[in-house]
Amino acid sequence: MREGNEQRISKRGRAVARWALTRANRLAETALESVSRAVIEWLGFPEATLQVSFRTSDGGHDRSDMLWEPASVAGECDGGIKYDGRLGPAQDVIARQRARDARLRRHVRTVVHWGWHDAVPAAPLRGILIGAGLHPEAPEDTAALFSLRRALTAPAAATHETKTDGRDRG
């Protein structure tokens, strides 16, 4: 893929794709995890280790989406599927999550959760990570964050009506 990318005509297109190709990682299990990794980098935070397993007292394993080992912080990307009923009633899902978080906290200082509504605008995710004790180590890439927000945010509803023939009403 990288070799094919370098054959692109557009210099900007090559650069954008090169950024994504150099960071592609099969350990990111969801789109939210991949977007979160980009946002975390663009906010200037240190890179997390992905999909770290922790042994439970009963011999099983709990896995964290992201781990910042030096700060002893586990991060969980919670997409909408987790609470939409497909994984069971919401109260059961929340109870399982709390029990899992308690097991993870036997290995890390804190566990934080975020979703799309935190990652895409970036500021909420920044607050979550700082609240967990992480600190940016690099300058924020505001242009990349703006582009991501623009690409992943639904356009605002039109402020004017359109006739059935397609012409604006004003």
Side-chain angles (χ1 to χ4, degrees):
M1 286 181 99
R2 290 180 187 176
E3 190 174 304
N5 180 59
E6 297 309 314
Q7 305 305 314
R8 293 161 75 80
I9 294 171
S10 167
K11 183 178 178 181
R12 184 176 184 278
R14 281 193 310 271
V16 170
R18 191 179 302 125
W19 183 92
L21 290 169
T22 60
R23 287 158 180 83
N25 187 321
R26 66 178 161 238
L27 293 176
E29 295 178 335
T30 66
L32 177 56
E33 288 180 29
S34 295
V35 167
S36 295
R37 288 178 58 227
V39 171
I40 289 164
E41 177 181 332
W42 294 336
L43 286 170
F45 288 97
E47 185 176 2
T49 304
L50 303 180
Q51 306 305 334
V52 176
S53 246
F54 297 95
R55 196 169 221 15
T56 61
S57 60
D58 65 0
H61 288 87
D62 286 320
R63 194 172 62 201
S64 177
D65 294 334
M66 298 185 187
L67 174 67
W68 290 270
E69 196 166 356
S72 194
V73 174
E76 295 295 313
C77 305
D78 294 336
I81 189 172
K82 191 169 196 171
Y83 306 106
D84 72 357
R86 286 182 258 183
L87 300 177
Q91 65 269 22
D92 294 347
V93 171
I94 292 168
R96 287 192 306 267
Q97 177 181 308
R98 286 183 179 157
R100 184 173 165 277
D101 284 358
R103 291 190 306 269
L104 286 172
R105 281 193 301 273
R106 292 181 188 135
H107 303 279
V108 298
R109 183 179 49 77
T110 192
V111 180
V112 293
H113 294 261
W114 64 86
W116 285 103
H117 60 283
D118 303 306
V120 173
L125 182 53
R126 179 192 308 109
I128 290 167
L129 297 177
I130 289 172
L134 294 171
H135 302 285
E137 298 177 344
E140 192 171 290
D141 186 339
T142 54
L145 290 167
F146 176 80
S147 293
L148 175 82
R149 192 167 40 253
R150 186 170 170 212
L152 296 181
T153 302
T159 57
H160 58 275
E161 295 179 31
T162 303
K163 290 183 180 179
T164 55
D165 63 4
R167 292 182 293 159
D168 281 344
R169 285 195 177 176

